[in-house]
């Protein structure tokens, strides 16, 4: 861990976004993770995405569970609201917060242990309910914080640092999300910000549950030869099938690619995701095809990355339940708590 | 882009902007660290190795290092390098026992130096320890050249001069005072010397031949007038004084006039402020002493009434800047009343004592001198300082003295003068623990410290009250922390990089980028932060293992915080202290050290 704080001094050319903030204004405290941890690169990508979208940091809530990955919200958006839940319980907290105030942008950060073991049920139900949030699963194949035990995401045959092979089948976060009806499913790599940042931006703009599984090597416990979550292995086996480009609402879509090559999906806020298929018979809006495609590559030992699936007709939890759009905090007291007379009236209906 | 060769001592040397810009390549960051540790004597001696006169230069240096200083590009103001040099000099302990000494046994070679200015003194400083018998012929009764007779004592106390010149002459130099050389031919004909060095300076002030110039005894030439003040021949001046010209000599003239009792002093310049030759700090000091600076005036005549100087007439200009060029149009004339005029419009060289048949003379009646060896076309006769290429400054005179000494040594030992000793380098890791370094790597946002000046009334009372009081302990403690330790280099070992981006993400000033190879011009546009300063190098690694991309570092505003090295999991980045080894006469440095690169 580094003792000195990252100095405030910055490059003379450091740019400002639409609300007059620099990228440095979206940073948090200095990371206490191991030097070279993939999670830190994801933090940098999150900073970049929020800065590019010109979202005021104080309009964001960042929540997480337990793990190295779950520590990272401290390292970005220092002015955002934050909550560090018990292990695996972050999805329920976002659900509650979001129910009370849908005006805030929610980002949940979790790990493969936090999401796929102890928090398996929690994550599943947040997907199913389509809670409007960006869900970043920082996937290193191990429990980093507790010193490198295999997680449920570890591939069969992947070797531990001491050389033992994992004998169990992995749980694949993307396949899980697809089967549970996720409306936005992506996979990326901490070492590829060019791919990751646009995906995060699209995930933030997407109304509904945006699931992003990010392969994020653990330099200390899972970056050796024989690991299937190392920098080298991921670079060798990565197959990008859909390239996502985020286009802000105000901007017109220009023809950067050959027509027919790209699909444009409009999001609720008027922004676009421009999807460029790198594999001909792939359709990111077709859930079943996406599922089959991932499985097929997995059998060949490949890691499919890109924005794998998006449902243009996503209906988030509020839309499904028809709840009030105004944040509860903005409702007048009389409306929030109509009084004893109203309560009696309601109860009389059940007598 | 080609892989950067960091084994070439010039690459890392250029990163140390101040040291690279210093003509004598003084190891600035190292002496600043020594000051920070309170090791003033060590800081002084380190300075002395390169610049011979730290106490003198700590007050008067032209300081080309400061505009070059990286800190300027980071927070707008350079480290007060020069003032810190004075701190080392002022607080040093006794050093005489630590200085180089001349051996008892001489090497049998004799060298004559003409003039006892900084150029000749530097030659003597380098040759004496090698056993040469050095004789200096000096016109005046004391050594120092313009440093003594022209630089006023309120900027440079005499005692400082005496001490530091004494360190050189004290090695046993045979200085013949009041001994002008009238004929170089006669000196050579004695055959008493194996080599001769001409360090006679640029002793002539420029004339201004306009009507009335010779009709009054109140018109002086700046450098002569300053010398007359020094020798006590001039003790007063008119109340209203005009100084013509706006270089550093003009600044010393106007400030001297104030001390001689003038009340209304104007410095008159042809151009506008941006084009003034004087250093900004000298201008500031003059203005603090209530000297007026008048721009856009060109002298046309002296106004003499009844044999008495009463004013000077000027052409007035209106100036506009067009495409970065000054365009001036005449807008009438004006008479400025005055009692005395000082001409400070430049200096010329004069070599009345050199017979032209001895060697080739070229443009402007200057001897033809080799830019590397400082030898004239006559083998065995060398030049340096203002005598070589016209008026410059002390630090250039010192460096040229070092170079001439190397040549003289070669010449006397029968080695071709063009065979220069090579520079070398040392590179040592500063890592002391996982996140501990042997230098203070935390960026300190302190602002540049302001020098305190003696109050005006006290200043004007005498000619010799030193104006600058020097930094206090607190100011020194703050200023040393502003130095960015540019000599502690970010050293990259490409075989170790796993392309995790940690260094790129942590760098506070966005120096680093991993990018596919391309032409440098293209790469400069596509970095984490665009490389906007073409004068600063880009470091490029070779192709990296995993993706074949290159690690690029823009040296421009790196604050040497070491965070890249702290966050690198594989130690691909390391912070290594770089020392350039620059040989002086009689020294050889080792072969360039192995760097452990690639
Ligand atoms: C007013 C003024 C202020 C200056 N201020 C600064 C300053 O603040 N900082 C700075 O860096 N530089 C300053 N300079 C410039 C600096 O003083 C000179 O560049 C420097 O002194 C040159 O050194 P030198 O050894 O070449 O010659 P000089 O210093 O000129 O020394 C030459 C010596 O040779 C002697 N000599 C000449 N002819 C003969 C002969 N025939 N026989 C014997 N002896 C002879 C002279 O008497 C003199 O002692 C200033 C110059 C002037 C005029
Ligand atoms: C209820 C509970 N059970 C167990 C733990 C111990 N524990 C802390 S972190 C962790 C695993 C975290 O793994 P992951 O989410 O993958 O995070 P990583 O550190 O790998 O980023 C476990 C089991 C705990 N803190 N709380
Ligand atoms: S910051 Fe220090 S080392 Fe760097 S250029 Fe300035 S004085 Fe030199
Ligand atoms: S030392 Fe490293 S992290 Fe610090 S400014 Fe320089 S390149 Fe950036
Ligand atoms: S931190 Fe080290 S290993 Fe990671 S990219 Fe930078 S130099 Fe390479
Ligand atoms: Mg994990």
């Amino acid at each position: 861990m580094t003792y000195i704080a990252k100095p405030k001094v910055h490059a003379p050319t450091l740019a400002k976004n639409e609300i007059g903030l620099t990228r440095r204004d979206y940073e948090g405290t200095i990371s206490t993770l191991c030097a070279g941890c993939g999670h830190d690169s994801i933090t940098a990508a999150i900073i970049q995405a929020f800065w590019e979208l010109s979202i005021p940091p104080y309009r964001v809530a960042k929540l997480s569970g337990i793990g190295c990955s779950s520590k990272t919200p401290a390292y970005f958006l220092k002015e955002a609201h934050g909550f560090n839940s018990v292990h695996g319980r972050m999805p329920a907290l976002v659900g509650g917060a979001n129910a009370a105030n849908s005006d805030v942008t929610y980002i949940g950060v979790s790990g493969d242990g936090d999401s796929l073991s102890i928090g398996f049920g929690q994550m599943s139900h947040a997907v199913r309910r389509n809670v409007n949030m960006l869900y970043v699963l920082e996937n290193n194949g191990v429990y980093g914080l507790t010193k490198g035990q295999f997680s449920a995401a570890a591939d069969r045959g992947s070797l531990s640092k001491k050389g033992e092979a994992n004998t169990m089948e992995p749980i694949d976060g993307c396949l899980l999300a697809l089967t549970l009806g996720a409306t936005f499913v992506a996979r990326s790599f901490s070492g590829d910000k060019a791919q990751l940042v646009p995906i995060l931006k699209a995930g933030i703009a997407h109304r509904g549950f945006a699931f992003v599984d990010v392969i994020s090597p653990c330099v200390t416990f899972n970056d050796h030869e024989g690991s299937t979550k190392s920098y080298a292995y991921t670079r060798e086996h990565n197959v990008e099938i859909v390239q996502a480009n985020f286009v802000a609402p105000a901007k017109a879509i220009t023809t950067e690619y050959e027509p027919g090559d790209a699909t444009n999906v409009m999001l609720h806020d008027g922004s676009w995701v421009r999807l460029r298929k790198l594999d001909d018979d792939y359709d990111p809006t077709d859930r079943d095809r996406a599922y089959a495609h991932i499985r097929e590559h997995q059998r060949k030992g490949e890691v499919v990355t890109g924005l794998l699936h998006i449902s243009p007709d996503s209906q988030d939890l509020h839309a499904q339940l028809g709840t009030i759009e105004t944040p509860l905090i903005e409702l007048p007291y009389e409306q929030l708590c109509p009084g004893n007379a109203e309560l009696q009236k309601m109860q009389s209906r059940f007598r | 882009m080609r892989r950067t060769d960091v084994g070439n001592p010039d690459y890392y040397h250029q990163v140390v902007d101040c040291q690279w810009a210093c003509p004598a390549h003084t190891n600035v960051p190292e002496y600043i660290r020594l000051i920070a540790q309170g090791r003033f004597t060590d800081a002084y001696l380190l300075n002395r190795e390169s610049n011979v006169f730290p106490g003198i230069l700590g007050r008067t240096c032209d300081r080309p290092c400061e505009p070059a200083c990286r800190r300027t590009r980071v927070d707008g103001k350079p480290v007060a390098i020069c003032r810190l040099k004075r701190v080392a000099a002022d607080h040093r302990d006794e050093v005489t026992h630590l200085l180089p000494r001349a051996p008892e046994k001489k090497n049998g070679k004799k060298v004559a130096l003409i003039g006892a200015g900084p150029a000749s003194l530097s030659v003597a400083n380098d040759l004496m320890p090698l056993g040469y018998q050095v004789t200096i012929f000096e016109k005046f009764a004391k050594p120092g050249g313009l440093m003594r007779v022209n630089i006023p004592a309120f900027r440079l106390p005499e005692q400082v001069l005496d001490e530091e010149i004494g360190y050189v002459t004290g090695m046993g130099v045979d200085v013949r005072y009041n001994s002008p050389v009238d004929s170089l031919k006669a000196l050579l004909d004695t055959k008493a010397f194996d080599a001769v060095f001409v360090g006679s300076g640029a002793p002539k002030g420029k004339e201004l031949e306009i009507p009335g110039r010779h009709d009054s005894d109140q018109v002086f030439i700046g450098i002569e007038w300053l010398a007359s003040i020094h020798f006590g021949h001039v003790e007063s001046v008119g109340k209203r004084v005009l100084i013509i010209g706006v270089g550093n000599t003009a600044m010393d003239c106007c400030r001297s006039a104030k001390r001689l009792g003038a009340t209304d002093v104007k410095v008159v310049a042809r151009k506008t402020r941006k084009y003034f030759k004087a250093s900004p700090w000298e201008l500031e000091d003059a203005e603090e002493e209530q000297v007026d600076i008048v721009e856009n005036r060109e002298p046309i005549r002296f106004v003499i009434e009844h044999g008495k100087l009463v004013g000077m007439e000027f052409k007035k200009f209106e100036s506009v800047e067009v495409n970065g060029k000054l365009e001036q149009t005449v807008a009438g004339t004006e008479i400025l009343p005055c009692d005395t005029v000082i001409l400070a419009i430049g200096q010329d060289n004069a070599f009345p004592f050199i017979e032209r048949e001895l060697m080739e003379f070229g443009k402007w009646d200057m001897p033809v001198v080799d830019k590397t060896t400082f030898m004239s076309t006559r083998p065995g006769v060398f030049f340096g300082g203002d005598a070589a290429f016209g008026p410059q400054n002390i630090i250039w005179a010192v460096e040229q003295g070092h170079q001439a000494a190397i040549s003289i040594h070669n010449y006397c030992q029968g080695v071709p003068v063009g065979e220069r000793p090579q520079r070398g380098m040392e590179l040592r890791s500063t890592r002391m623990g996982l996140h501990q370094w042997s230098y203070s790597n935390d960026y300190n946002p302190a602002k540049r410290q302001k020098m305190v000046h003696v109050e005006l009334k006290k200043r004007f009372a005498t000619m010799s009250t030193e104006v600058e009081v020097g930094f206090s302990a607190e100011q020194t403690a703050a200023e040393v922390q502003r130095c960015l330790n540019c000599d502690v280099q970010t050293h990259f070992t490409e075989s170790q990089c796993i392309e995790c981006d940690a260094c790129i993400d942590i760098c506070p000033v966005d120096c680093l980028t991993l990018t596919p190879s391309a032409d440098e011009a293209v790469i400069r546009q596509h970095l984490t932060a665009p490389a906007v300063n073409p004068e600063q190098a880009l470091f490029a690694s070779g192709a990296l293992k995993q993706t074949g991309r290159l690690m690029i570092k823009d040296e421009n505003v790196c604050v040497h915080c070491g965070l890249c090295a702290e966050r690198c999991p594989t130690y691909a980045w390391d912070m290594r202290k770089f020392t350039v080894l620059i040989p002086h006469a009689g020294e050889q440095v080792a072969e360039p050290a192995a760097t452990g690169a690639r």
Side-chain angles (χ1 to χ4, degrees), chain A residues 32-320:
Chain A
T32 56
L33 301 183
C34 304
C37 177
H39 299 349
D40 281 339
S41 292
I42 302 173
T43 296
I46 291 171
I47 289 169
Q48 183 73 25
F50 275 96
W51 176 74
E52 284 182 16
L53 290 173
S54 294
I55 296 176
Y58 73 95
R59 297 303 300 157
V60 177
K62 46 180 190 178
L63 294 93
S64 62
I66 299 291
C68 298
S69 36
S70 292
K71 284 173 71 177
T72 63
Y75 315 141
F76 60 81
L77 273 65
K78 59 181 169 296
E79 285 165 10
H81 307 274
F83 199 102
N84 215 189
S85 81
V86 285
H87 208 1
R89 267 52 172 187
M90 171 271 285
L93 282 151
V94 182
N98 185 295
N101 188 342
S102 60
D103 253 12
V104 168
T105 302
Y106 291 93
I107 172 170
V109 179
S110 180
D112 42 333
D114 195 63
S115 285
L116 303 179
S117 293
I118 195 167
F120 193 71
Q122 292 263 327
M123 183 188 111
S124 302
H125 285 280
V127 175
R128 198 183 132 258
R129 290 174 184 145
N130 205 18
V131 176
N132 184 15
M133 71 180 297
L134 170 66
Y135 193 102
V136 182
L137 193 159
E138 305 190 350
N139 185 355
N140 53 16
V142 289
Y143 296 169
L145 193 68
T146 54
K147 300 214 168 341
Q149 302 82 352
F150 282 126
S151 78
D155 291 308
R156 195 165 167 174
S158 182
L159 298 184
S160 75
K161 203 174 179 180
K162 284 200 173 147
E164 293 148 14
N166 178 36
T167 54
M168 293 176 207
E169 275 299 316
I171 299 174
D172 183 302
C174 288
L175 292 179
L176 174 72
L178 282 169
T179 56
L180 292 170
T183 51
F184 183 111
V185 178
R187 174 169 287 143
S188 189
F189 170 43
S190 68
D192 185 0
K193 289 202 189 69
Q195 183 193 53
L196 179 56
V197 173
I199 287 178
L200 293 176
K201 285 164 75 179
I204 293 166
H206 174 73
R207 187 173 304 169
F209 192 86
F211 178 80
V212 186
D213 179 72
V214 191
I215 310 294
S216 175
C218 169
V219 273
T220 304
F221 298 112
N222 208 7
D223 194 41
H224 44 266
E225 230 170 278
S227 155
T228 58
K229 294 276 191 290
S230 66
Y231 282 105
Y233 184 95
T234 309
R235 287 204 165 97
E236 255 167 59
H237 297 82
N238 175 357
V239 181
E240 188 179 33
I241 53 163
V242 195
Q243 209 174 55
N245 234 312
F246 181 81
V247 187
K251 303 217 169 85
I253 290 204
T254 50
T255 47
E256 221 174 284
Y257 305 117
E258 308 286 304
D261 195 24
T263 318
N264 299 320
V265 179
M266 197 194 222
L267 303 178
H268 289 75
D269 63 354
S271 53
W272 295 84
V273 183
R274 157 162 278 249
L275 300 165
R276 183 168 168 249
K277 295 177 288 178
L278 302 176
D279 187 327
D280 268 350
D281 53 28
Y282 191 79
D283 177 2
T285 60
D286 182 334
R287 180 183 303 275
D288 295 338
R289 295 264 289 277
Y291 191 97
H293 205 90
I294 298 171
R295 286 292 292 155
E296 194 183 306
H297 280 279
Q298 240 172 18
R299 270 195 294 275
K300 291 190 268 177
E302 289 169 350
V303 184
V304 174
T305 60
L307 208 180
L308 305 173
H309 171 70
I310 183 164
S311 311
D313 54 359
S314 163
Q315 294 276 312
D316 82 335
L317 186 62
H318 279 280
Q320 291 173 48

Side-chain angles (χ1 to χ4, degrees), chain B residues 233-505:
Chain B
H233 304 323
V234 167
E235 287 175 325
S236 64
V237 70
K239 287 281 170 224
R240 298 168 303 170
V241 179
L242 294 183
I243 316 286
I244 309 303
V246 71
N248 287 338
T249 302
M251 295 302 109
D252 283 339
C253 290
C254 65
R255 297 176 71 189
S256 296
K258 276 274 179 178
R259 285 158 178 78
L260 292 178
T263 49
D264 173 10
V265 181
K266 288 190 172 64
V267 173
V268 188
R270 216 207 111 122
K271 292 187 175 172
T272 53
R273 202 173 183 100
K274 191 175 151 191
Y275 299 88
F276 290 179
K277 284 220 181 78
S279 319
W281 58 89
E282 298 221 26
L283 270 168
E284 269 169 38
D285 291 351
E287 288 186 310
E288 180 182 302
E289 296 183 1
Q290 291 147 10
V291 168
D292 292 330
I293 314 269
V294 184
E295 306 177 329
N296 289 315
R297 301 286 186 286
E298 184 183 274
I300 38 185
R301 69 179 177 103
F302 294 89
V303 185
I304 313 280
E305 278 173 15
H306 314 296
K308 192 171 170 270
L309 177 72
V310 295
M312 207 169 174
E313 186 170 352
F314 295 91
K315 225 189 267 175
K316 274 169 54 175
F317 295 113
E318 267 165 17
S319 294
V320 279
E321 194 144 329
V322 182
N323 301 330
K325 265 197 162 166
L326 190 69
E327 287 194 2
Q328 295 188 299
T329 47
V330 182
T333 64
E334 178 186 37
I335 292 178
L336 294 176
C338 66
D339 307 309
T340 303
V341 171
I342 314 289
L343 302 174
I345 50 179
Q347 272 163 267
D348 275 330
N349 285 78
F351 299 98
F353 61 96
I354 301 182
E355 292 77 1
R356 296 303 188 258
E357 74 265 19
L358 290 178
M359 63 187 70
E360 211 178 301
F361 270 66
K363 261 207 275 189
W364 297 304
D365 203 27
M366 288 290 284
V368 174
V369 175
D370 186 279
K371 288 215 151 64
T372 312
T373 64
F374 293 87
M375 191 160 82
S376 67
T377 57
R378 185 182 176 96
V381 178
F382 302 84
F383 284 73
D386 289 359
F389 304 113
Q392 273 167 316
N393 52 41
I394 302 168
I395 190 67
W396 272 114
V398 169
E399 173 57 14
Q400 294 176 358
H402 284 316
Q403 294 306 322
I406 290 173
S407 302
I408 294 170
H409 182 53
N410 281 4
Y411 184 78
C412 291
Q413 306 304 321
V415 176
V417 288
E419 231 166 70
R420 320 297 291 178
Q422 292 299 302
R423 289 183 182 179
M425 62 186 267
E426 277 173 9
L427 209 52
R428 292 215 171 88
S429 180
T430 58
R431 192 182 280 281
M432 305 227 301
L434 213 49
H435 299 292
Q436 277 168 310
W437 307 94
S438 62
Y439 72 106
S440 150
N441 63 322
D442 199 357
Y443 177 83
N444 190 313
K447 294 274 165 262
R448 182 177 164 114
Q449 300 297 302
K450 235 179 120 60
M451 177 55 74
V452 176
H453 289 174
V454 170
E455 59 169 282
L456 287 179
K457 217 169 125 202
K458 239 173 150 179
R459 246 190 256 187
F460 294 153
T462 72
M463 205 63 198
S464 57
T465 302
E466 188 171 15
V467 172
E468 301 191 345
V469 304
F471 276 161
S472 67
E474 293 73 23
Q475 284 182 302
T476 302
E479 192 64 34
V480 290
Q481 292 303 329
R482 296 186 70 239
C483 175
L484 299 169
N485 302 288
C486 304
D487 60 332
V488 181
Q489 307 283 349
T490 53
H491 183 80
F492 189 68
T493 306
E494 71 193 33
S495 58
Q496 274 161 241
C497 176
I498 57 169
E499 302 173 56
C500 70
D501 278 7
C503 53
I504 296 167
D505 296 337

